Amino acid sequence: MHGPVSAAWLLVALCAATGAYCLLRMRSGVEEQRRSAGGEALMGFGMAAMAVPAAVFTPPGWAWPLYAAVFGAAALRALWAARSGPHHLHHVVGTAAMVYMSLVMAASPASSAAHHHPHIGAGVPLVTGALLLYFTGYVLRSGARLVPATATAGGTRAVRWGDRPELARACRLSMGIGMVAMLLTM
């Protein structure tokens, strides 16, 4: 993605840390937690790879269609999982956004090795705007859900790191923030 190098590295760090925590969540004893954590780890590491500044590493031309194919397959898997509950639809939107950004980068003249200048304004403005609205709303809603509620009595059971719902929400929130930042630089 294009933008200031320091902001890009912060986004790389945020997304990589999120992906790493999602890998930890894959060790959960809850089947649904493991399934969603795998998709979220893929998103976190994929976003980290896409956010590496072009001045440091410019992916070869074949990398963007490969990203689109990987996230297209992830979108189909998320769509299949959405049959069991509507909460999987967010994963469909997220993976579809990754496909969209990959295709935009593949078509962008800034993605070739001969051009290292920012190409702001790439993509379809209506699609980019709709995705920005969705992820901004998602970030605001997720952030509000992280506000602590009153503590319940007797809830002192030890919880494993991979099973902590507040950390899973924070993980999703950070990926939403990262998605907004990536869409803003398009």
Side-chain angles (χ1 to χ4, degrees), residues 124-165:
V124 180
L126 186 62
V127 176
T128 304
L131 288 170
L132 269 171
L133 281 174
Y134 173 80
F135 283 105
T136 300
Y138 180 80
V139 164
L140 293 173
R141 185 175 144 261
S142 296
R145 290 181 66 198
L146 279 177
V147 174
T150 57
T152 58
T156 59
R157 186 182 128 239
V159 179
R160 295 173 28 172
W161 279 100
D163 294 330
R164 298 187 61 165

PDB file of all heavy atoms in Angstrom, residues 124-165:
ATOM      1  N   VAL A 124     -11.969   1.722  -7.688  1.00  0.00           N
ATOM      2  CA  VAL A 124     -13.281   2.270  -8.012  1.00  0.00           C
ATOM      3  C   VAL A 124     -13.756   3.068  -6.801  1.00  0.00           C
ATOM      4  O   VAL A 124     -13.959   2.487  -5.729  1.00  0.00           O
ATOM      5  CB  VAL A 124     -14.274   1.136  -8.354  1.00  0.00           C
ATOM      6  CG1 VAL A 124     -15.634   1.691  -8.686  1.00  0.00           C
ATOM      7  CG2 VAL A 124     -13.729   0.276  -9.491  1.00  0.00           C
ATOM      8  N   PRO A 125     -13.923   4.387  -6.938  1.00  0.00           N
ATOM      9  CA  PRO A 125     -14.269   5.216  -5.768  1.00  0.00           C
ATOM     10  C   PRO A 125     -15.516   4.739  -5.030  1.00  0.00           C
ATOM     11  O   PRO A 125     -15.546   4.774  -3.799  1.00  0.00           O
ATOM     12  CB  PRO A 125     -14.470   6.609  -6.362  1.00  0.00           C
ATOM     13  CG  PRO A 125     -13.655   6.610  -7.607  1.00  0.00           C
ATOM     14  CD  PRO A 125     -13.719   5.205  -8.135  1.00  0.00           C
ATOM     15  N   LEU A 126     -16.525   4.277  -5.742  1.00  0.00           N
ATOM     16  CA  LEU A 126     -17.753   3.824  -5.080  1.00  0.00           C
ATOM     17  C   LEU A 126     -17.494   2.584  -4.220  1.00  0.00           C
ATOM     18  O   LEU A 126     -17.960   2.500  -3.084  1.00  0.00           O
ATOM     19  CB  LEU A 126     -18.836   3.539  -6.123  1.00  0.00           C
ATOM     20  CG  LEU A 126     -20.214   3.191  -5.586  1.00  0.00           C
ATOM     21  CD1 LEU A 126     -20.767   4.365  -4.771  1.00  0.00           C
ATOM     22  CD2 LEU A 126     -21.153   2.860  -6.720  1.00  0.00           C
ATOM     23  N   VAL A 127     -16.710   1.646  -4.743  1.00  0.00           N
ATOM     24  CA  VAL A 127     -16.383   0.428  -3.984  1.00  0.00           C
ATOM     25  C   VAL A 127     -15.495   0.775  -2.795  1.00  0.00           C
ATOM     26  O   VAL A 127     -15.741   0.314  -1.675  1.00  0.00           O
ATOM     27  CB  VAL A 127     -15.712  -0.622  -4.899  1.00  0.00           C
ATOM     28  CG1 VAL A 127     -15.273  -1.840  -4.093  1.00  0.00           C
ATOM     29  CG2 VAL A 127     -16.652  -1.037  -6.019  1.00  0.00           C
ATOM     30  N   THR A 128     -14.468   1.575  -3.044  1.00  0.00           N
ATOM     31  CA  THR A 128     -13.573   1.975  -1.959  1.00  0.00           C
ATOM     32  C   THR A 128     -14.350   2.717  -0.871  1.00  0.00           C
ATOM     33  O   THR A 128     -14.170   2.450   0.324  1.00  0.00           O
ATOM     34  CB  THR A 128     -12.430   2.862  -2.491  1.00  0.00           C
ATOM     35  OG1 THR A 128     -11.743   2.156  -3.525  1.00  0.00           O
ATOM     36  CG2 THR A 128     -11.449   3.221  -1.384  1.00  0.00           C
ATOM     37  N   GLY A 129     -15.235   3.624  -1.278  1.00  0.00           N
ATOM     38  CA  GLY A 129     -16.055   4.372  -0.316  1.00  0.00           C
ATOM     39  C   GLY A 129     -16.978   3.473   0.480  1.00  0.00           C
ATOM     40  O   GLY A 129     -17.125   3.639   1.698  1.00  0.00           O
ATOM     41  N   ALA A 130     -17.611   2.516  -0.188  1.00  0.00           N
ATOM     42  CA  ALA A 130     -18.508   1.588   0.517  1.00  0.00           C
ATOM     43  C   ALA A 130     -17.729   0.751   1.527  1.00  0.00           C
ATOM     44  O   ALA A 130     -18.184   0.542   2.662  1.00  0.00           O
ATOM     45  CB  ALA A 130     -19.234   0.689  -0.488  1.00  0.00           C
ATOM     46  N   LEU A 131     -16.555   0.272   1.137  1.00  0.00           N
ATOM     47  CA  LEU A 131     -15.730  -0.505   2.070  1.00  0.00           C
ATOM     48  C   LEU A 131     -15.247   0.357   3.233  1.00  0.00           C
ATOM     49  O   LEU A 131     -15.229  -0.098   4.383  1.00  0.00           O
ATOM     50  CB  LEU A 131     -14.540  -1.126   1.335  1.00  0.00           C
ATOM     51  CG  LEU A 131     -14.881  -2.282   0.391  1.00  0.00           C
ATOM     52  CD1 LEU A 131     -13.674  -2.665  -0.457  1.00  0.00           C
ATOM     53  CD2 LEU A 131     -15.393  -3.482   1.167  1.00  0.00           C
ATOM     54  N   LEU A 132     -14.885   1.602   2.945  1.00  0.00           N
ATOM     55  CA  LEU A 132     -14.487   2.522   4.027  1.00  0.00           C
ATOM     56  C   LEU A 132     -15.627   2.744   5.008  1.00  0.00           C
ATOM     57  O   LEU A 132     -15.415   2.731   6.227  1.00  0.00           O
ATOM     58  CB  LEU A 132     -14.025   3.854   3.447  1.00  0.00           C
ATOM     59  CG  LEU A 132     -12.554   3.981   3.142  1.00  0.00           C
ATOM     60  CD1 LEU A 132     -12.267   5.255   2.365  1.00  0.00           C
ATOM     61  CD2 LEU A 132     -11.732   3.939   4.407  1.00  0.00           C
ATOM     62  N   LEU A 133     -16.826   2.957   4.499  1.00  0.00           N
ATOM     63  CA  LEU A 133     -17.988   3.144   5.383  1.00  0.00           C
ATOM     64  C   LEU A 133     -18.228   1.904   6.234  1.00  0.00           C
ATOM     65  O   LEU A 133     -18.467   2.006   7.439  1.00  0.00           O
ATOM     66  CB  LEU A 133     -19.238   3.467   4.563  1.00  0.00           C
ATOM     67  CG  LEU A 133     -19.357   4.899   4.075  1.00  0.00           C
ATOM     68  CD1 LEU A 133     -20.575   5.040   3.156  1.00  0.00           C
ATOM     69  CD2 LEU A 133     -19.460   5.860   5.239  1.00  0.00           C
ATOM     70  N   TYR A 134     -18.185   0.735   5.601  1.00  0.00           N
ATOM     71  CA  TYR A 134     -18.420  -0.509   6.337  1.00  0.00           C
ATOM     72  C   TYR A 134     -17.391  -0.677   7.449  1.00  0.00           C
ATOM     73  O   TYR A 134     -17.741  -0.934   8.603  1.00  0.00           O
ATOM     74  CB  TYR A 134     -18.382  -1.719   5.398  1.00  0.00           C
ATOM     75  CG  TYR A 134     -18.450  -3.019   6.162  1.00  0.00           C
ATOM     76  CD1 TYR A 134     -19.676  -3.494   6.620  1.00  0.00           C
ATOM     77  CD2 TYR A 134     -17.301  -3.730   6.479  1.00  0.00           C
ATOM     78  CE1 TYR A 134     -19.735  -4.664   7.361  1.00  0.00           C
ATOM     79  CE2 TYR A 134     -17.361  -4.893   7.213  1.00  0.00           C
ATOM     80  CZ  TYR A 134     -18.584  -5.361   7.655  1.00  0.00           C
ATOM     81  OH  TYR A 134     -18.642  -6.510   8.396  1.00  0.00           O
ATOM     82  N   PHE A 135     -16.094  -0.570   7.101  1.00  0.00           N
ATOM     83  CA  PHE A 135     -15.057  -0.821   8.104  1.00  0.00           C
ATOM     84  C   PHE A 135     -14.987   0.271   9.163  1.00  0.00           C
ATOM     85  O   PHE A 135     -14.666  -0.014  10.317  1.00  0.00           O
ATOM     86  CB  PHE A 135     -13.698  -1.066   7.446  1.00  0.00           C
ATOM     87  CG  PHE A 135     -13.600  -2.443   6.856  1.00  0.00           C
ATOM     88  CD1 PHE A 135     -13.685  -2.635   5.496  1.00  0.00           C
ATOM     89  CD2 PHE A 135     -13.455  -3.558   7.667  1.00  0.00           C
ATOM     90  CE1 PHE A 135     -13.627  -3.904   4.949  1.00  0.00           C
ATOM     91  CE2 PHE A 135     -13.404  -4.830   7.136  1.00  0.00           C
ATOM     92  CZ  PHE A 135     -13.486  -5.006   5.767  1.00  0.00           C
ATOM     93  N   THR A 136     -15.313   1.513   8.811  1.00  0.00           N
ATOM     94  CA  THR A 136     -15.367   2.569   9.817  1.00  0.00           C
ATOM     95  C   THR A 136     -16.488   2.269  10.811  1.00  0.00           C
ATOM     96  O   THR A 136     -16.291   2.369  12.035  1.00  0.00           O
ATOM     97  CB  THR A 136     -15.575   3.941   9.155  1.00  0.00           C
ATOM     98  OG1 THR A 136     -14.477   4.194   8.272  1.00  0.00           O
ATOM     99  CG2 THR A 136     -15.658   5.050  10.195  1.00  0.00           C
ATOM    100  N   GLY A 137     -17.646   1.883  10.307  1.00  0.00           N
ATOM    101  CA  GLY A 137     -18.746   1.495  11.192  1.00  0.00           C
ATOM    102  C   GLY A 137     -18.382   0.295  12.047  1.00  0.00           C
ATOM    103  O   GLY A 137     -18.697   0.246  13.246  1.00  0.00           O
ATOM    104  N   TYR A 138     -17.707  -0.670  11.450  1.00  0.00           N
ATOM    105  CA  TYR A 138     -17.289  -1.859  12.186  1.00  0.00           C
ATOM    106  C   TYR A 138     -16.320  -1.498  13.312  1.00  0.00           C
ATOM    107  O   TYR A 138     -16.438  -2.002  14.427  1.00  0.00           O
ATOM    108  CB  TYR A 138     -16.642  -2.873  11.233  1.00  0.00           C
ATOM    109  CG  TYR A 138     -16.188  -4.124  11.922  1.00  0.00           C
ATOM    110  CD1 TYR A 138     -17.095  -5.127  12.246  1.00  0.00           C
ATOM    111  CD2 TYR A 138     -14.855  -4.299  12.296  1.00  0.00           C
ATOM    112  CE1 TYR A 138     -16.685  -6.266  12.903  1.00  0.00           C
ATOM    113  CE2 TYR A 138     -14.442  -5.433  12.953  1.00  0.00           C
ATOM    114  CZ  TYR A 138     -15.364  -6.416  13.257  1.00  0.00           C
ATOM    115  OH  TYR A 138     -14.959  -7.541  13.926  1.00  0.00           O
ATOM    116  N   VAL A 139     -15.360  -0.617  13.006  1.00  0.00           N
ATOM    117  CA  VAL A 139     -14.379  -0.198  14.021  1.00  0.00           C
ATOM    118  C   VAL A 139     -15.087   0.526  15.171  1.00  0.00           C
ATOM    119  O   VAL A 139     -14.808   0.259  16.347  1.00  0.00           O
ATOM    120  CB  VAL A 139     -13.285   0.685  13.380  1.00  0.00           C
ATOM    121  CG1 VAL A 139     -12.500   1.447  14.424  1.00  0.00           C
ATOM    122  CG2 VAL A 139     -12.366  -0.161  12.525  1.00  0.00           C
ATOM    123  N   LEU A 140     -15.995   1.424  14.851  1.00  0.00           N
ATOM    124  CA  LEU A 140     -16.713   2.155  15.906  1.00  0.00           C
ATOM    125  C   LEU A 140     -17.552   1.204  16.759  1.00  0.00           C
ATOM    126  O   LEU A 140     -17.566   1.307  17.989  1.00  0.00           O
ATOM    127  CB  LEU A 140     -17.586   3.249  15.294  1.00  0.00           C
ATOM    128  CG  LEU A 140     -16.812   4.398  14.635  1.00  0.00           C
ATOM    129  CD1 LEU A 140     -17.769   5.333  13.905  1.00  0.00           C
ATOM    130  CD2 LEU A 140     -15.985   5.142  15.670  1.00  0.00           C
ATOM    131  N   ARG A 141     -18.232   0.283  16.122  1.00  0.00           N
ATOM    132  CA  ARG A 141     -19.071  -0.680  16.852  1.00  0.00           C
ATOM    133  C   ARG A 141     -18.197  -1.612  17.699  1.00  0.00           C
ATOM    134  O   ARG A 141     -18.501  -1.878  18.864  1.00  0.00           O
ATOM    135  CB  ARG A 141     -19.914  -1.486  15.866  1.00  0.00           C
ATOM    136  CG  ARG A 141     -20.887  -2.410  16.536  1.00  0.00           C
ATOM    137  CD  ARG A 141     -21.781  -3.098  15.485  1.00  0.00           C
ATOM    138  NE  ARG A 141     -22.045  -4.436  15.915  1.00  0.00           N
ATOM    139  CZ  ARG A 141     -21.424  -5.531  15.492  1.00  0.00           C
ATOM    140  NH1 ARG A 141     -20.500  -5.443  14.569  1.00  0.00           N
ATOM    141  NH2 ARG A 141     -21.723  -6.703  15.964  1.00  0.00           N
ATOM    142  N   SER A 142     -17.109  -2.101  17.126  1.00  0.00           N
ATOM    143  CA  SER A 142     -16.212  -2.999  17.866  1.00  0.00           C
ATOM    144  C   SER A 142     -15.548  -2.287  19.031  1.00  0.00           C
ATOM    145  O   SER A 142     -15.377  -2.862  20.101  1.00  0.00           O
ATOM    146  CB  SER A 142     -15.134  -3.561  16.938  1.00  0.00           C
ATOM    147  OG  SER A 142     -15.705  -4.343  15.942  1.00  0.00           O
ATOM    148  N   GLY A 143     -15.154  -1.037  18.817  1.00  0.00           N
ATOM    149  CA  GLY A 143     -14.549  -0.264  19.896  1.00  0.00           C
ATOM    150  C   GLY A 143     -15.513  -0.051  21.047  1.00  0.00           C
ATOM    151  O   GLY A 143     -15.138  -0.144  22.217  1.00  0.00           O
ATOM    152  N   ALA A 144     -16.769   0.203  20.712  1.00  0.00           N
ATOM    153  CA  ALA A 144     -17.780   0.388  21.763  1.00  0.00           C
ATOM    154  C   ALA A 144     -18.011  -0.905  22.533  1.00  0.00           C
ATOM    155  O   ALA A 144     -18.274  -0.875  23.741  1.00  0.00           O
ATOM    156  CB  ALA A 144     -19.086   0.879  21.149  1.00  0.00           C
ATOM    157  N   ARG A 145     -17.888  -2.041  21.864  1.00  0.00           N
ATOM    158  CA  ARG A 145     -18.082  -3.332  22.536  1.00  0.00           C
ATOM    159  C   ARG A 145     -16.930  -3.668  23.478  1.00  0.00           C
ATOM    160  O   ARG A 145     -17.080  -4.516  24.359  1.00  0.00           O
ATOM    161  CB  ARG A 145     -18.241  -4.443  21.509  1.00  0.00           C
ATOM    162  CG  ARG A 145     -19.556  -4.361  20.767  1.00  0.00           C
ATOM    163  CD  ARG A 145     -19.719  -5.469  19.783  1.00  0.00           C
ATOM    164  NE  ARG A 145     -19.814  -6.738  20.483  1.00  0.00           N
ATOM    165  CZ  ARG A 145     -19.615  -7.914  19.914  1.00  0.00           C
ATOM    166  NH1 ARG A 145     -19.301  -7.975  18.646  1.00  0.00           N
ATOM    167  NH2 ARG A 145     -19.718  -9.029  20.615  1.00  0.00           N
ATOM    168  N   LEU A 146     -15.788  -3.005  23.307  1.00  0.00           N
ATOM    169  CA  LEU A 146     -14.647  -3.260  24.190  1.00  0.00           C
ATOM    170  C   LEU A 146     -14.743  -2.501  25.508  1.00  0.00           C
ATOM    171  O   LEU A 146     -14.005  -2.795  26.435  1.00  0.00           O
ATOM    172  CB  LEU A 146     -13.335  -2.888  23.499  1.00  0.00           C
ATOM    173  CG  LEU A 146     -12.785  -3.915  22.537  1.00  0.00           C
ATOM    174  CD1 LEU A 146     -11.525  -3.392  21.874  1.00  0.00           C
ATOM    175  CD2 LEU A 146     -12.495  -5.228  23.235  1.00  0.00           C
ATOM    176  N   VAL A 147     -15.633  -1.534  25.564  1.00  0.00           N
ATOM    177  CA  VAL A 147     -15.809  -0.779  26.808  1.00  0.00           C
ATOM    178  C   VAL A 147     -16.261  -1.765  27.878  1.00  0.00           C
ATOM    179  O   VAL A 147     -17.227  -2.501  27.691  1.00  0.00           O
ATOM    180  CB  VAL A 147     -16.844   0.356  26.620  1.00  0.00           C
ATOM    181  CG1 VAL A 147     -17.130   1.043  27.934  1.00  0.00           C
ATOM    182  CG2 VAL A 147     -16.362   1.336  25.577  1.00  0.00           C
ATOM    183  N   PRO A 148     -15.555  -1.804  28.997  1.00  0.00           N
ATOM    184  CA  PRO A 148     -15.876  -2.813  30.013  1.00  0.00           C
ATOM    185  C   PRO A 148     -17.265  -2.615  30.611  1.00  0.00           C
ATOM    186  O   PRO A 148     -17.693  -1.499  30.881  1.00  0.00           O
ATOM    187  CB  PRO A 148     -14.806  -2.633  31.081  1.00  0.00           C
ATOM    188  CG  PRO A 148     -14.056  -1.414  30.737  1.00  0.00           C
ATOM    189  CD  PRO A 148     -14.451  -0.962  29.378  1.00  0.00           C
ATOM    190  N   ALA A 149     -17.944  -3.724  30.757  1.00  0.00           N
ATOM    191  CA  ALA A 149     -19.242  -3.726  31.432  1.00  0.00           C
ATOM    192  C   ALA A 149     -18.991  -3.980  32.921  1.00  0.00           C
ATOM    193  O   ALA A 149     -17.867  -4.254  33.338  1.00  0.00           O
ATOM    194  CB  ALA A 149     -20.130  -4.814  30.851  1.00  0.00           C
ATOM    195  N   THR A 150     -20.031  -3.921  33.709  1.00  0.00           N
ATOM    196  CA  THR A 150     -19.860  -4.195  35.132  1.00  0.00           C
ATOM    197  C   THR A 150     -19.469  -5.650  35.319  1.00  0.00           C
ATOM    198  O   THR A 150     -19.916  -6.533  34.608  1.00  0.00           O
ATOM    199  CB  THR A 150     -21.162  -3.902  35.895  1.00  0.00           C
ATOM    200  OG1 THR A 150     -22.208  -4.695  35.317  1.00  0.00           O
ATOM    201  CG2 THR A 150     -21.511  -2.444  35.799  1.00  0.00           C
ATOM    202  N   ALA A 151     -18.601  -5.904  36.285  1.00  0.00           N
ATOM    203  CA  ALA A 151     -18.103  -7.253  36.536  1.00  0.00           C
ATOM    204  C   ALA A 151     -19.199  -8.119  37.135  1.00  0.00           C
ATOM    205  O   ALA A 151     -20.011  -7.665  37.928  1.00  0.00           O
ATOM    206  CB  ALA A 151     -16.909  -7.191  37.484  1.00  0.00           C
ATOM    207  N   THR A 152     -19.207  -9.386  36.737  1.00  0.00           N
ATOM    208  CA  THR A 152     -20.178 -10.329  37.292  1.00  0.00           C
ATOM    209  C   THR A 152     -19.542 -11.043  38.473  1.00  0.00           C
ATOM    210  O   THR A 152     -18.345 -11.325  38.477  1.00  0.00           O
ATOM    211  CB  THR A 152     -20.599 -11.366  36.236  1.00  0.00           C
ATOM    212  OG1 THR A 152     -19.425 -12.040  35.780  1.00  0.00           O
ATOM    213  CG2 THR A 152     -21.300 -10.698  35.066  1.00  0.00           C
ATOM    214  N   ALA A 153     -20.338 -11.337  39.455  1.00  0.00           N
ATOM    215  CA  ALA A 153     -19.841 -12.006  40.659  1.00  0.00           C
ATOM    216  C   ALA A 153     -19.559 -13.476  40.358  1.00  0.00           C
ATOM    217  O   ALA A 153     -20.289 -14.130  39.629  1.00  0.00           O
ATOM    218  CB  ALA A 153     -20.876 -11.906  41.774  1.00  0.00           C
ATOM    219  N   GLY A 154     -18.476 -13.993  40.916  1.00  0.00           N
ATOM    220  CA  GLY A 154     -18.159 -15.414  40.790  1.00  0.00           C
ATOM    221  C   GLY A 154     -17.521 -15.779  39.460  1.00  0.00           C
ATOM    222  O   GLY A 154     -17.368 -16.947  39.169  1.00  0.00           O
ATOM    223  N   GLY A 155     -17.135 -14.841  38.634  1.00  0.00           N
ATOM    224  CA  GLY A 155     -16.549 -15.136  37.334  1.00  0.00           C
ATOM    225  C   GLY A 155     -15.036 -15.099  37.369  1.00  0.00           C
ATOM    226  O   GLY A 155     -14.423 -14.461  36.535  1.00  0.00           O
ATOM    227  N   THR A 156     -14.416 -15.797  38.304  1.00  0.00           N
ATOM    228  CA  THR A 156     -12.961 -15.735  38.454  1.00  0.00           C
ATOM    229  C   THR A 156     -12.270 -16.968  37.887  1.00  0.00           C
ATOM    230  O   THR A 156     -11.140 -17.249  38.240  1.00  0.00           O
ATOM    231  CB  THR A 156     -12.595 -15.572  39.944  1.00  0.00           C
ATOM    232  OG1 THR A 156     -13.136 -16.685  40.656  1.00  0.00           O
ATOM    233  CG2 THR A 156     -13.102 -14.253  40.487  1.00  0.00           C
ATOM    234  N   ARG A 157     -12.937 -17.719  37.032  1.00  0.00           N
ATOM    235  CA  ARG A 157     -12.362 -18.913  36.419  1.00  0.00           C
ATOM    236  C   ARG A 157     -11.160 -18.515  35.545  1.00  0.00           C
ATOM    237  O   ARG A 157     -11.204 -17.542  34.812  1.00  0.00           O
ATOM    238  CB  ARG A 157     -13.433 -19.585  35.567  1.00  0.00           C
ATOM    239  CG  ARG A 157     -13.003 -20.895  34.993  1.00  0.00           C
ATOM    240  CD  ARG A 157     -14.123 -21.461  34.122  1.00  0.00           C
ATOM    241  NE  ARG A 157     -13.526 -21.778  32.847  1.00  0.00           N
ATOM    242  CZ  ARG A 157     -13.872 -21.285  31.688  1.00  0.00           C
ATOM    243  NH1 ARG A 157     -14.853 -20.427  31.604  1.00  0.00           N
ATOM    244  NH2 ARG A 157     -13.276 -21.637  30.589  1.00  0.00           N
ATOM    245  N   ALA A 158     -10.086 -19.291  35.610  1.00  0.00           N
ATOM    246  CA  ALA A 158      -8.905 -19.022  34.787  1.00  0.00           C
ATOM    247  C   ALA A 158      -9.240 -19.294  33.320  1.00  0.00           C
ATOM    248  O   ALA A 158      -9.780 -20.341  32.983  1.00  0.00           O
ATOM    249  CB  ALA A 158      -7.748 -19.901  35.235  1.00  0.00           C
ATOM    250  N   VAL A 159      -8.915 -18.340  32.467  1.00  0.00           N
ATOM    251  CA  VAL A 159      -9.195 -18.455  31.040  1.00  0.00           C
ATOM    252  C   VAL A 159      -7.870 -18.455  30.297  1.00  0.00           C
ATOM    253  O   VAL A 159      -6.994 -17.634  30.567  1.00  0.00           O
ATOM    254  CB  VAL A 159     -10.084 -17.282  30.557  1.00  0.00           C
ATOM    255  CG1 VAL A 159     -10.358 -17.384  29.072  1.00  0.00           C
ATOM    256  CG2 VAL A 159     -11.387 -17.248  31.333  1.00  0.00           C
ATOM    257  N   ARG A 160      -7.735 -19.379  29.333  1.00  0.00           N
ATOM    258  CA  ARG A 160      -6.519 -19.445  28.527  1.00  0.00           C
ATOM    259  C   ARG A 160      -6.447 -18.234  27.611  1.00  0.00           C
ATOM    260  O   ARG A 160      -7.446 -17.652  27.234  1.00  0.00           O
ATOM    261  CB  ARG A 160      -6.513 -20.729  27.708  1.00  0.00           C
ATOM    262  CG  ARG A 160      -6.429 -21.965  28.562  1.00  0.00           C
ATOM    263  CD  ARG A 160      -6.577 -23.232  27.789  1.00  0.00           C
ATOM    264  NE  ARG A 160      -6.133 -23.131  26.399  1.00  0.00           N
ATOM    265  CZ  ARG A 160      -6.040 -24.159  25.595  1.00  0.00           C
ATOM    266  NH1 ARG A 160      -6.350 -25.352  26.016  1.00  0.00           N
ATOM    267  NH2 ARG A 160      -5.657 -23.994  24.360  1.00  0.00           N
ATOM    268  N   TRP A 161      -5.219 -17.868  27.204  1.00  0.00           N
ATOM    269  CA  TRP A 161      -5.021 -16.704  26.344  1.00  0.00           C
ATOM    270  C   TRP A 161      -5.784 -16.827  25.036  1.00  0.00           C
ATOM    271  O   TRP A 161      -6.279 -15.845  24.513  1.00  0.00           O
ATOM    272  CB  TRP A 161      -3.534 -16.511  26.053  1.00  0.00           C
ATOM    273  CG  TRP A 161      -2.843 -15.820  27.168  1.00  0.00           C
ATOM    274  CD1 TRP A 161      -2.093 -16.399  28.135  1.00  0.00           C
ATOM    275  CD2 TRP A 161      -2.862 -14.429  27.444  1.00  0.00           C
ATOM    276  NE1 TRP A 161      -1.642 -15.449  29.009  1.00  0.00           N
ATOM    277  CE2 TRP A 161      -2.106 -14.226  28.594  1.00  0.00           C
ATOM    278  CE3 TRP A 161      -3.453 -13.337  26.838  1.00  0.00           C
ATOM    279  CZ2 TRP A 161      -1.909 -12.974  29.147  1.00  0.00           C
ATOM    280  CZ3 TRP A 161      -3.252 -12.092  27.376  1.00  0.00           C
ATOM    281  CH2 TRP A 161      -2.495 -11.926  28.519  1.00  0.00           C
ATOM    282  N   GLY A 162      -5.883 -18.011  24.496  1.00  0.00           N
ATOM    283  CA  GLY A 162      -6.578 -18.199  23.232  1.00  0.00           C
ATOM    284  C   GLY A 162      -8.086 -18.136  23.348  1.00  0.00           C
ATOM    285  O   GLY A 162      -8.781 -18.071  22.337  1.00  0.00           O
ATOM    286  N   ASP A 163      -8.610 -18.169  24.564  1.00  0.00           N
ATOM    287  CA  ASP A 163     -10.054 -18.188  24.771  1.00  0.00           C
ATOM    288  C   ASP A 163     -10.599 -16.879  25.340  1.00  0.00           C
ATOM    289  O   ASP A 163     -11.764 -16.829  25.737  1.00  0.00           O
ATOM    290  CB  ASP A 163     -10.433 -19.329  25.726  1.00  0.00           C
ATOM    291  CG  ASP A 163     -10.154 -20.685  25.118  1.00  0.00           C
ATOM    292  OD1 ASP A 163     -10.228 -20.811  23.887  1.00  0.00           O
ATOM    293  OD2 ASP A 163      -9.846 -21.621  25.880  1.00  0.00           O
ATOM    294  N   ARG A 164      -9.815 -15.848  25.400  1.00  0.00           N
ATOM    295  CA  ARG A 164     -10.268 -14.591  25.998  1.00  0.00           C
ATOM    296  C   ARG A 164     -11.055 -13.789  24.978  1.00  0.00           C
ATOM    297  O   ARG A 164     -10.494 -13.316  23.984  1.00  0.00           O
ATOM    298  CB  ARG A 164      -9.071 -13.804  26.509  1.00  0.00           C
ATOM    299  CG  ARG A 164      -8.357 -14.615  27.609  1.00  0.00           C
ATOM    300  CD  ARG A 164      -7.313 -13.865  28.249  1.00  0.00           C
ATOM    301  NE  ARG A 164      -7.871 -12.677  28.885  1.00  0.00           N
ATOM    302  CZ  ARG A 164      -7.219 -11.971  29.756  1.00  0.00           C
ATOM    303  NH1 ARG A 164      -6.023 -12.329  30.131  1.00  0.00           N
ATOM    304  NH2 ARG A 164      -7.753 -10.896  30.278  1.00  0.00           N
ATOM    305  N   PRO A 165     -12.358 -13.609  25.195  1.00  0.00           N
ATOM    306  CA  PRO A 165     -13.188 -12.924  24.201  1.00  0.00           C
ATOM    307  C   PRO A 165     -12.817 -11.458  24.002  1.00  0.00           C
ATOM    308  O   PRO A 165     -12.913 -10.939  22.892  1.00  0.00           O
ATOM    309  CB  PRO A 165     -14.607 -13.064  24.747  1.00  0.00           C
ATOM    310  CG  PRO A 165     -14.466 -13.395  26.185  1.00  0.00           C
ATOM    311  CD  PRO A 165     -13.130 -14.064  26.346  1.00  0.00           C
TER     312      PRO A 165
END
